[in-house]
Structure formats: structure tokens, C-alpha cells
Amino acid sequence: MPSERPSPVVDTSASPHARLRPIDLRTVEVTDAFWRPRLRRNREVTLPAQYEQCETTGALRNFERAADLDDGPFNGRYYSDSDVYKWIEAASWTLAGGDSPELVARLDSVIKRVAAAQSGDGYLNTYFSVDRAGERWTDLVVRHEMYCVGHLVQAAVAHHRTTGGRELLDVALRACAHIFERFTPDRVPGTCGHPCLEMALVELYRATGERRWLTLATWQLDSRGRGVLDGSEYLVDHAPVRRQTEVTGHAVRALYLYAAVADVVLETGDEDLRRTVDALWHDLSRHKTSVTGGVGARWDGESFGDAYELPDRAYNETCAAIAHILLAWRLLLLTGAGEYRDAIETALHNGVLCGLSLDGTEFFYQNPLADAGRHRRQEWFSCACCPPNIARLLASLPGYLYTASDEGLWIQLYIGNRADLRLADGTAVRLELATDLPWEGAVSVTVTPEQPAEFTLFLPVPAWAEERPVIRIGGEIVEADHRDGYLAVRRTWAPGDTVELTLATPVRPLVTHPRAAQTHHRVAVTRGPIVYCLEQVDHPDTPVADIRLTGAEDWRPARRTDLLGDVTTLTTSARVLSEPDGPEGAGPPHRRWSGAATATTDVTVTAVPYFAWANREPGPMRVFLPLN
């Protein structure tokens, strides 16, 4: 049975320090040509395939083993439970888009297995449930016990909000009560080597109103950097959270932790934590984010590097791009500032979407910006965090399209949809948004309140648009206030009022920062929210590594419905280095500079969206192209 309560992803409707409130994702139907097929594929292809992976890898069987229903060995890694929990969360958000008897039955079956595995004292982790019970809570640095409970809680909240069911929520509450008794705030410090539970506890507080979960989340934040773990940057344990000013360590762990910091600020207004998260965001966004929104440059430790350490072969884990979105979304809810919205849009279209094959069955763990042709997506991984993470984000995507405030309604992502929303006074408003983004910038929004109503409609102006668009209603130009990345249109709206605007989508060559030494004097090509790349398959006679740009190319967009599931490509004329020593590979890799000009020829090059690379035959790929 669907829940009668609202189903937001992050519920700040009662958060005293939030500027923006979420919307019920069940009230939004995605209709556009780009995202609707992807959400359908997530529901019909990706989720069933991931369920089968959880079965075949033994992750689901581990719960039967913990319930004494299977006498086989433990399967997978000590955090395999989290793969199942993320699948439950993805399936739960998917049900918000409509009933599916088969999915409901499968979901109910999985939840019963999870519930049966829980110990009488509330403890739940199948790795420790049978033959390792004496090792519980003895290795907070490595064993991910609280991390797994964090994903359990997030799954339980999603399931409760979309279905109204309490089966999994009660399991999560018992597990959290066990942790509360074991690591009681102000008495026993406790935190996990991999953050996640902190963020989940705040959402559990929002879902239940029980303040002890917020207290426990804050206590876990403040237990970090105080000798509970190993004091390493890798675990983001090198300093107390309140004294951290630079983003460092394992990228996913860091951003999950900082998202929890933002959550606590939303609920408490803690000034120290607010200064902390602002400083960390400044470092992340100004110094340590790839052009795709990917984060975590180093393969060593899946970690952040130094400022401007943004190499071609960046690690850029898919989960880290998702964590980037989770942090940015919370800061957007806190402030209403457009830079956070822009970060979400960039990471979504490039850093995250790249992690999923066009058919929805294979995944990237790492997302480098250059490759020799050997990096390919896989159906699953022994550490399988990324695939179900993508699934749960896509399933919840309708919940990221709008927010509300006392002033009115905010569009956050230009994705075609129909939405039935409510103003602060309860007035119902239907919005119908149509657009061909991410390819072309025309947008129309039809506003239909149940009766004429005065409110402000906030329309984002993405940084990539470069100029403020003209807004027309009923064909007439209207004035709008520009507020921190949004155009604010306040008027008394009548049923059927239609807002029209066209966002400029120029091709934008983005030159690397001079301090980004590993990609110095190179350029990435973007258009709208999309980052482009060159693939060898489109240049059979020209090594992509030899292509050089001037930065003044005339890129020509062309819609290709026959290519990569319908994309816009960019084509131009560019220079290609000619090898003076014969064919490619014939000369030595290093030779003394002679001062002679390098011979070049002109060729036609075609750029395709980065998110779609590696869906055809293997070959080299480049996002950043050298300037000649």
C-alpha cells in the first residue's frame, strides 16, 4: 500500500535552518526524452539485474545464513549487506513512480530475509552473525558495521515513506537502538571507519521525530579525530571534524561525512559545523573537482589529492560523484544558492551517468578522463558499492527536480515533467515543464494553480548558460529578479500561464587552471551541462592522442538520433601532429628538442558526450585536448 505521508528524499520540511523544503517525489512524473527512458531502464533492467547479482554472489544468502536457514559459508566482503540495502532503497524509491506487483513481492521477500537475520539485541550484520559474534565492534576502523547499518536505515526510511510499511523501519530502529546503547552519547565515543550512519541517523530523526537519533549522529561526528579510529587522513580521522578545513582522505567517506555535517547544521544551526562545511565546500569546489563533477583524483586510497591535482587519469569513483550530489543537495536546501544546484547538475550528467552503460547492465567503478582503450564497464564488482548506488540515485531523481519555500516554488533541474506541488499555504499548483535539454536550451513551464495565486517561481540560470535569458509569459517579456543563480518571477499566477525562456548553449572550451600541472595547457569541450570527449572509434585514421586544438575552433552541433541512443555531437576541424620518425610508435618516447616546427595536418574531429563513452568498440579516449 502506498504511504499517505509525503515521500521526500531528504526531508527538511520541519528543519528549522533550511531555506528550502523538499517535494514528494511521488507527485513528479518525468516525461522528457532524455531521462524518462533511463528511469524506465533503471526500473525494468538495472534493478532486476542487480537483484540477480545479490542472489548469485551470495549477498542475499548471507541473511538466510544469519537466520539459521542456510548452513553454507559467508559470501563476499564484510560489507556485502550494504549492497542489499542499497537495492532495497532503489526498489523503494522506484515504487514511488507507480505500483509494480512483481517488484513489491520481491521487495517484501528481501525485507523478510533481512528481518529474520536480526539478533535479539538488535545487532544486524551478517558477517558477524554466526561464527564471528565475539568480534562485534572490535574493529571500527575496518569492518564497516555502522556503515552497513547506515544503508539499512536509508533503505528503511525510503521504504516507509513510499509504502507506509514499518517492517524494515522497525528493524532499523532496533539496530540503531543497539548502537545507541553500545556507544551512548557523552559516555562512549564511537564512529565508523566508513561514514554513512551519521547521515542516515539524521534522516531517521526526521522520519520519526525521536531526537536521540540526531544526538547520536552529532556524537558520532564529534567522536572523529579523537582516538576512536586510527588518526589517518584516509578515514578522515586526522583532526576533529570541527577543525577540518581541507577536503582530504578517501573521497566517498569524506563526502558522506560532510553531508552528515550539513544535515546536522540544517537541524541545529550549529555555527561551528556551519563554518566547517562552508570551508570544506570551498576547498572541494574551487580546488578538487574535475570538469565532470567527479572527485577523488588519486587511485592510491581512492582519495582526494592536493589542490589542483586533477589528472587525466583521475580515479573519480562513481560513488564519490554521487556523494558530491548528496552534499551539494543538502547545502542547497540550507542556502538556496545556485552554485550547489550547478554542482548537482554537472555531476549528475557526467560524473554519475558515465558510470552506467547505455543498456543499464554494466558499470564503471572509476571514471578517468583519458584512457588507452582498456577501461571497460563490468556487470558487477567484488566491491559492488557503485552499481546499486547509481540505481538508488536514479530511482530517487524525481525528488531532486523541485523544492519549495515560503516565497514559492523552485525549479532545480530542467528535466521534462509533470508535477503536482503545493505552496506553503497549501494551494495546489501543477507545473508542466517541457525541454529538449541537455541538447537544446528552450524551456517552457505551464503553471496551473487550483485558483489564481500569488507566489514566486524560481528559474535556475546555470553557469554554462553564460548570460541571463529573456523570460516571456503569454508572449510578453516579463522582468525577473536575479537571485544567486535564479531568476525570480513573482506574480499572481492564473491557470495556464506559460513561462518560456531559452538558455544559451554555446560550445564552451574550458582551459585548465595553470596550477593543474598534469593537464596544463589543455582544453575540455562542453555544451550545456554536457562534457564531451574524443573516442578513437570516431577517428579511425587519426590517433586521438595526436589531435591538437587552438581554442578558437568552430564547433558545429549535430543531433544524431542514430548514435549512442540519441545524442548531440560536436564537429570541427583540428590539427594533428605528424610523427617525424615514421608511423605512430616508431620514434623514441623522449628526444632532444631540435627547435624545428612540428609538422601538422588538418582533420575533422567529432566529440561525443563523455557519459556515453566506452559503449562501442574499445579504443583511446580523451576529455582534455592539448592546445597547439
Side-chain angles (χ1 to χ4, degrees):
M1 288 288 293
S3 172
E4 295 181 359
R5 301 178 62 185
S7 299
V9 181
V10 178
D11 189 1
T12 57
S13 57
S15 303
H17 300 278
R19 182 178 182 190
L20 303 181
R21 299 186 298 274
I23 53 91
D24 185 339
L25 80 167
R26 296 174 305 177
T27 66
V28 180
E29 178 188 2
V30 173
T31 59
D32 84 9
F34 184 84
W35 284 105
R36 185 177 177 86
R38 286 171 166 81
L39 299 193
R40 183 176 64 247
R41 202 152 42 239
N42 192 55
R43 179 187 189 120
E44 298 176 358
V45 177
T46 304
L47 275 176
Q50 292 186 356
Y51 173 83
E52 293 303 323
Q53 290 289 352
C54 288
E55 286 279 23
T56 58
T57 61
L60 279 166
R61 196 159 59 251
N62 288 336
F63 288 93
E64 297 176 353
R65 177 177 182 267
D68 293 328
L69 299 175
D70 186 295
D71 58 3
F74 179 85
N75 295 276
R77 301 196 181 189
Y78 43 83
Y79 43 77
S80 292
D81 291 2
S82 66
D83 300 336
V84 175
Y85 298 148
K86 280 182 276 189
W87 182 88
I88 292 173
E89 183 183 350
S92 297
W93 293 131
T94 296
L95 289 178
D99 284 339
S100 167
E102 182 180 355
L103 183 58
V104 169
R106 177 167 283 178
L107 187 55
D108 287 348
S109 173
V110 172
I111 289 173
K112 287 178 181 177
R113 285 197 243 186
V114 171
Q118 189 167 35
S119 300
D121 63 357
Y123 184 89
L124 179 54
N125 186 300
T126 65
Y127 181 77
F128 295 95
S129 291
V130 179
D131 48 356
R132 299 182 183 90
E135 301 175 27
R136 296 175 183 177
W137 306 123
T138 61
D139 191 354
L140 298 179
V141 170
V142 173
R143 294 303 182 188
H144 286 55
E145 288 165 274
M146 293 183 191
Y147 167 83
C148 288
V149 174
H151 280 299
L152 167 64
V153 171
Q154 290 174 332
V157 170
H159 184 258
H160 178 60
R161 285 178 176 165
T162 56
T163 70
R166 289 195 58 95
E167 302 90 338
L168 194 62
L169 184 65
D170 288 339
V171 171
L173 286 167
R174 288 192 294 271
C176 290
H178 172 85
I179 293 172
F180 191 94
E181 291 301 318
R182 178 65 179 78
F183 301 99
T184 306
D186 296 321
R187 286 173 48 197
V188 183
T191 192
C192 186
H194 197 310
C196 179
L197 180 57
E198 303 90 339
M199 185 170 31
L201 284 168
V202 180
E203 208 59 44
L204 187 62
Y205 160 67
R206 292 168 177 152
T208 65
E210 290 187 54
R211 195 166 185 87
R212 64 172 172 163
W213 307 131
L214 177 60
T215 301
L216 182 57
T218 308
W219 178 240
Q220 293 207 333
L221 292 178
D222 286 332
S223 293
R224 217 166 195 89
R226 300 185 183 278
V228 177
L229 301 175
D230 65 1
S232 68
E233 285 193 0
Y234 176 78
L235 298 185
V236 206
D237 191 49
H238 56 290
V241 168
R242 295 170 187 272
R243 296 213 310 261
Q244 294 186 25
T245 58
E246 295 183 1
V247 175
T248 189
H250 186 276
V252 180
R253 299 175 198 234
L255 297 190
Y256 278 13
L257 182 71
Y258 303 149
V261 172
D263 272 326
V264 172
V265 172
L266 282 160
E267 301 306 323
T268 68
D270 188 303
E271 294 182 1
D272 287 342
L273 290 178
R274 175 65 187 271
R275 283 190 292 270
T276 295
V277 77
D278 285 347
L280 292 166
W281 177 264
H282 183 272
D283 185 44
L284 173 69
S285 61
R286 304 318 191 258
H287 307 139
K288 297 175 181 176
T289 300
S290 293
V291 67
T292 58
V295 291
R298 291 182 180 173
W299 290 67
D300 181 13
E302 304 177 321
S303 63
F304 289 104
D306 296 328
Y308 302 106
E309 187 179 334
L310 300 167
D312 271 348
R313 288 290 298 168
Y315 193 81
N316 287 358
E317 183 181 338
T318 302
C319 281
I322 293 170
H324 190 185
I325 290 174
L326 300 183
L327 171 59
W329 181 249
R330 284 156 174 79
L331 292 173
L332 176 62
L333 295 174
L334 179 67
T335 66
E339 69 167 298
Y340 304 115
R341 191 220 72 88
D342 285 353
I344 293 165
E345 183 180 59
T346 298
L348 176 65
H349 284 86
N350 304 286
V352 173
L353 202 53
C354 180
L356 179 66
S357 64
L358 293 178
D359 66 4
T361 64
E362 296 181 327
F363 309 90
F364 273 149
Y365 197 106
Q366 309 90 359
N367 296 279
L369 306 183
D371 184 61
R374 294 185 291 272
H375 190 57
R376 309 301 288 179
R377 295 178 184 86
Q378 299 180 39
E379 291 183 353
W380 206 245
F381 305 92
S382 59
C383 174
C385 52
C386 296
N389 221 357
I390 296 173
R392 69 175 183 145
L393 178 66
L394 292 183
S396 64
L397 184 61
Y400 291 87
L401 269 56
Y402 295 99
T403 55
S405 70
D406 290 344
E407 296 175 271
L409 301 174
W410 302 58
I411 296 170
Q412 298 297 356
L413 292 172
Y414 285 121
I415 292 175
N417 71 88
R418 286 187 293 271
D420 293 309
L421 309 177
R422 288 195 178 274
L423 301 174
D425 65 3
T427 301
V429 180
R430 165 165 280 204
L431 296 184
E432 297 181 70
L433 191 154
T435 183
D436 199 25
L437 281 167
W439 311 125
E440 302 298 335
V443 177
S444 71
V445 185
T446 300
V447 182
T448 307
E450 58 184 342
Q451 58 193 25
E454 183 181 0
F455 63 91
T456 302
L457 181 64
F458 292 84
L459 302 153
V461 182
W464 49 258
E466 292 190 344
E467 59 187 44
R468 180 171 165 175
V470 173
I471 294 179
R472 290 181 169 84
I473 299 178
E476 300 292 326
I477 295 177
V478 298
E479 294 298 317
D481 294 333
H482 193 274
R483 301 192 200 171
D484 205 357
Y486 297 83
L487 292 177
V489 182
R490 186 165 188 86
R491 61 187 277 129
T492 298
W493 298 88
D497 280 348
T498 298
V499 181
E500 295 177 313
L501 66 152
T502 298
L503 299 164
T505 54
V507 176
R508 302 170 67 226
L510 303 181
V511 179
T512 54
H513 193 281
R515 290 176 60 187
Q518 292 160 304
T519 52
H520 181 53
H521 205 57
R522 300 189 193 185
V523 64
V525 179
T526 70
R527 182 172 184 264
I530 301 299
V531 175
Y532 281 77
C533 68
L534 300 188
E535 279 197 278
Q536 191 61 61
V537 66
D538 298 309
H539 307 88
D541 301 319
T542 305
V544 296
D546 290 345
I547 293 172
R548 300 292 185 270
L549 301 180
T550 66
E553 280 74 20
D554 178 23
W555 291 94
R556 298 177 297 280
R559 189 69 173 266
R560 291 284 305 275
T561 57
D562 62 325
L563 183 69
L564 295 169
D566 185 5
V567 298
T568 290
T569 62
L570 302 177
T571 304
T572 193
S573 179
R575 297 285 184 90
V576 178
L577 292 178
S578 297
E579 279 283 352
D581 295 324
E584 182 183 16
H590 304 94
R591 49 183 172 264
R592 187 172 181 275
W593 171 246
S594 66
T598 304
T600 61
T601 57
D602 290 335
V603 297
T604 298
V605 299
T606 299
V608 298
Y610 171 73
F611 73 74
W613 86 277
N615 279 282
R616 296 174 289 174
E617 65 183 69
M621 178 276 297
R622 296 288 187 277
V623 168
F624 282 105
L625 305 173
L627 289 167
N628 196 13

